[in-house]
């Protein structure tokens, strides 16, 4: 029998990264921002990707920073974030 035990963690981890790519909304796919954390690649679903996409198209670097919580296995939950 395999049992996974996860203790509730109230610890928030701070992150900062640069947006690497943006995927626009399409049929059955929401707009998504892609970036990397020290634990791996992250895809963050957003409501409006257009401002970020325009900045990247014009050669302007877009950074993201905020807090996340670690979950079971390799999952994370973005608690809050800011784009700049």
């Amino acid at each position: 029998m395999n049992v996974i035990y996860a203790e509730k963690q109230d610890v928030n981890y701070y992150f900062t990264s640069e947006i690497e790519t943006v995927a626009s909304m399409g049929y059955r796919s929401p707009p998504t921002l892609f970036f990397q954390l020290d634990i791996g690649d992250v895809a963050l679903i957003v409501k409006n990707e257009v401002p970020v996409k325009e900045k990247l198209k014009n050669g302007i670097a877009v950074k993201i920073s905020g807090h996340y919580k670690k979950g079971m296995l390799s999952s994370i939950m973005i608690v809050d974030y800011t784009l700049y």
Side-chain angles (χ1 to χ4, degrees):
M1 172 188 235
N2 292 330
V3 177
I4 297 176
Y5 174 75
E7 183 177 321
K8 181 180 177 187
Q9 292 185 352
D10 290 330
V11 178
N12 285 343
Y13 296 92
Y14 177 78
F15 72 90
T16 185
S17 183
E18 189 170 324
I19 301 295
E20 295 177 350
T21 57
V22 177
S24 295
M25 183 171 62
Y27 181 70
R28 294 189 179 187
S29 61
T32 308
L33 306 177
F34 297 94
F35 58 96
Q36 289 201 4
L37 298 179
D38 57 345
I39 57 173
D41 297 338
V42 176
L44 178 65
I45 297 171
V46 294
K47 288 185 180 182
N48 185 5
E49 83 288 0
V50 175
V52 175
K53 192 172 189 177
E54 289 298 319
K55 287 182 180 180
L56 291 177
K57 188 193 301 187
N58 293 328
I60 301 170
V62 180
K63 295 198 177 241
I64 183 170
S65 63
H67 296 91
Y68 69 92
K69 291 184 180 182
K70 290 184 179 180
M72 291 177 30
L73 305 175
S74 63
S75 66
I76 64 166
M77 179 179 76
I78 304 289
V79 178
D80 62 8
Y81 66 92
T82 302
L83 296 170
Y84 54 97

